[in-house]
Amino acid sequence: MADIHELAGMLKELDDQLVGCMRCGMCQAVCPLFAQTGREADVARGKISLLDGLANEIIRNPAGVKERLDRCLLCGTCEANCPSGVKVLDIFFKARAILTGYLGLSPAKKAIFRGLLANPKLFNQLLSFGAKFQKLFTKEVNDLLGSSCARFQAPIVGDRHFKGLAEKPFHKLVPSLDTPAGKSGLRVAFFPGCVMDKIFPNVAQSVLKVMEHHGVGVYMPPNQACCGIPALSSGDTDTFQKLVALNLDVFSKGNFDYFVTACATCTATIRKLWPRMADRFDSRGQLREISDKTMDVNQFLVDVLGVKLDKQTGGGKVVTYHDPCHLKNSFGITSQPRAILTGLPGYAFKEMTDAGTCCGCGGSFNLQHYDVSARIGGNKADNIIASGAETVATGCPACMLQITDMLSQKGARCRVRHVMELYAESLG
């Protein structure tokens, strides 16, 4: 349990932010969860009403408050569309931190976050071990998508179709990198993130190929840690702050112009949540410096390097695009990945219906509420299939996992790729 004075201070901060909500209900019209359940408790307005008397509620029924707060994808659609400019995600993260501070972490989450995630070397070793033996417990179900399912009933895995761990994680393929600026005159720090490192190393390799092609130097130090979003989403601010500090330490040794990621979730966490939730612990100003330099790789290529591909006309393999919530809602990044996709040789870009709606992943939401997550994701898969695309591209590894699951369960023959994979392939 957190210190009572710390909790009181956090409650005061939360109260100051709650007054901005006008209870207009605009969030109902855009919330993907509310669209499935129709429950007022599942929409931002309902949760904010619940938090209005949080000090009393956490004493009366803390478990009930936590259950309702956890039913949120944290997609940011409500915040992006709020006419009053309420920082909804900031409110929800703080409320979860208060509840976790009051109730404490469950033993399982304590083991995962504080035992593994906060110890990157142990985390890497354990998952490398798991990659070697995973085929004993999984079987392939869709060769094109590369999806598998469990051979035996497993409580967490359930009926999911998932991408297995890569035989070799990215940090084994490229342990570190420190190359000078080329023709671009720029150097970037590259942050692959956990999912890309452990499951999609080819995406990270594609980013490096693209940077080399454009003459961009890359600083990629070893011993990077998770960006911290899994811990923060569960209210574990102690682990979150430790992970931020670990990353600040390894990246402080390099000089770079931009801090680039190819993971929408990592981009939003570092650019927006590090300053919001850990800035008070940054005495040297490193955190603010890195967060200010943080940029999605699509945005970096188009807006900074000025990459402009010749628009392709005529036939080709149909490719469509899914907007990750953390790019569209957090930064308004929608045109940059499309600018790359529409210029790819051998591809014909086609917009799908509701490309900007959530895929239903939501990180831990998918684990806790898979039934609703799958319904939201199923709608996304239907729109992808209806587009007639042979490939769906996106800019977030977490979205890639969710969309792979949904398409695989529908027996679809549609590849799920990152924009950078397709662009790197076009370079030869």
Side-chain angles (χ1 to χ4, degrees), residues 399-419:
C399 295
M400 292 172 71
L401 289 176
Q402 173 78 341
I403 293 171
T404 295
D405 180 12
M406 298 297 103
L407 288 175
S408 180
Q409 295 207 38
K410 290 177 180 289
R413 305 291 293 175
C414 177
R415 299 185 308 162
V416 181
R417 309 292 299 278
H418 194 286
V419 175

Side-chain angles (χ1 to χ4, degrees), residues 158-196:
D159 296 325
R160 290 172 174 82
H161 289 192
F162 51 85
K163 291 282 291 185
L165 295 166
E167 290 185 14
K168 262 195 171 182
F170 177 64
H171 72 268
K172 289 287 187 183
L173 297 170
V174 188
S176 64
L177 204 60
D178 192 355
T179 59
K183 60 184 179 183
S184 72
L186 297 173
R187 257 169 59 96
V188 301
F190 178 45
F191 185 83
C194 301
V195 180
M196 198 177 299

Side-chain angles (χ1 to χ4, degrees), residues 40-76:
E40 177 69 12
D42 286 338
V43 79
R45 181 176 67 178
K47 290 182 173 66
I48 287 176
S49 296
L50 170 71
L51 296 175
D52 213 359
L54 185 59
N56 291 326
E57 286 293 322
I58 62 174
I59 294 172
R60 188 178 65 83
N61 183 21
V65 176
K66 185 178 186 306
E67 192 277 331
R68 287 168 66 180
L69 262 187
D70 285 348
R71 284 179 63 89
C72 178
L73 289 153
L74 297 176
C75 64

Side-chain angles (χ1 to χ4, degrees), residues 146-226:
S147 57
S148 301
C149 66
R151 289 186 184 274
F152 318 103
Q153 277 289 73
I156 295 178
V157 176
D159 296 325
R160 290 172 174 82
H161 289 192
F162 51 85
K163 291 282 291 185
L165 295 166
E167 290 185 14
K168 262 195 171 182
F170 177 64
H171 72 268
K172 289 287 187 183
L173 297 170
V174 188
S176 64
L177 204 60
D178 192 355
T179 59
K183 60 184 179 183
S184 72
L186 297 173
R187 257 169 59 96
V188 301
F190 178 45
F191 185 83
C194 301
V195 180
M196 198 177 299
D197 178 52
K198 309 294 189 295
I199 300 177
F200 298 108
N202 187 56
V203 176
Q205 289 177 301
S206 297
V207 172
L208 296 185
K209 181 179 179 179
V210 169
M211 294 302 166
E212 183 180 11
H213 174 79
H214 288 288
V216 178
V218 177
Y219 176 65
M220 191 183 71
N223 304 317
Q224 295 182 34
C226 171

Side-chain angles (χ1 to χ4, degrees), residues 145-389:
L145 285 161
S147 57
S148 301
C149 66
R151 289 186 184 274
F152 318 103
Q153 277 289 73
I156 295 178
V157 176
D159 296 325
R160 290 172 174 82
H161 289 192
F162 51 85
K163 291 282 291 185
L165 295 166
E167 290 185 14
K168 262 195 171 182
F170 177 64
H171 72 268
K172 289 287 187 183
L173 297 170
V174 188
S176 64
L177 204 60
D178 192 355
T179 59
K183 60 184 179 183
S184 72
L186 297 173
R187 257 169 59 96
V188 301
F190 178 45
F191 185 83
C194 301
V195 180
M196 198 177 299
D197 178 52
K198 309 294 189 295
I199 300 177
F200 298 108
N202 187 56
V203 176
Q205 289 177 301
S206 297
V207 172
L208 296 185
K209 181 179 179 179
V210 169
M211 294 302 166
E212 183 180 11
H213 174 79
H214 288 288
V216 178
V218 177
Y219 176 65
M220 191 183 71
N223 304 317
Q224 295 182 34
C226 171
C227 70
I229 188 62
L232 184 62
S233 296
S234 292
D236 184 6
T237 53
D238 288 343
T239 300
F240 173 69
Q241 289 152 14
K242 182 175 181 180
L243 291 168
V244 172
L246 286 171
N247 283 313
L248 290 179
D249 182 59
V250 298
F251 280 101
S252 65
K253 300 174 178 64
N255 295 311
F256 45 88
D257 302 292
Y258 294 92
F259 190 94
V260 171
T261 88
C263 171
T265 304
C266 292
T267 305
T269 302
I270 297 166
R271 177 88 184 177
K272 289 199 165 184
L273 296 179
W274 280 17
R276 286 187 190 181
M277 304 301 294
D279 198 25
R280 71 183 74 176
F281 305 97
D282 177 34
S283 58
R284 291 177 292 177
Q286 291 176 303
L287 186 155
R288 182 65 64 172
E289 182 181 354
I290 285 181
S291 68
D292 287 346
K293 291 180 178 180
T294 299
M295 186 173 285
D296 169 69
V297 66
N298 296 284
Q299 184 184 25
F300 174 74
L301 291 174
V302 175
D303 295 352
V304 177
L305 293 184
V307 171
K308 188 175 182 180
L309 305 182
D310 293 333
K311 188 169 180 63
Q312 301 297 310
T313 57
K317 297 178 181 177
V318 178
V319 60
T320 192
Y321 179 72
H322 159 69
D323 287 287
C325 293
H326 287 116
L327 288 188
K328 178 178 178 286
N329 295 330
S330 297
F331 306 109
I333 295 174
T334 58
S335 63
Q336 295 90 332
R338 287 172 171 82
I340 294 172
L341 291 173
T342 54
L344 289 177
Y347 285 94
F349 181 75
K350 184 176 181 181
E351 198 74 56
M352 75 166 93
T353 301
D354 293 334
T357 60
C358 182
C359 70
C361 180
S364 59
F365 180 88
N366 178 277
L367 297 176
Q368 295 174 283
H369 306 288
Y370 184 67
D371 55 337
V372 186
S373 173
R375 292 206 301 272
I376 297 170
N379 292 336
K380 176 63 67 174
D382 288 340
N383 290 335
I384 294 168
I385 294 167
S387 75

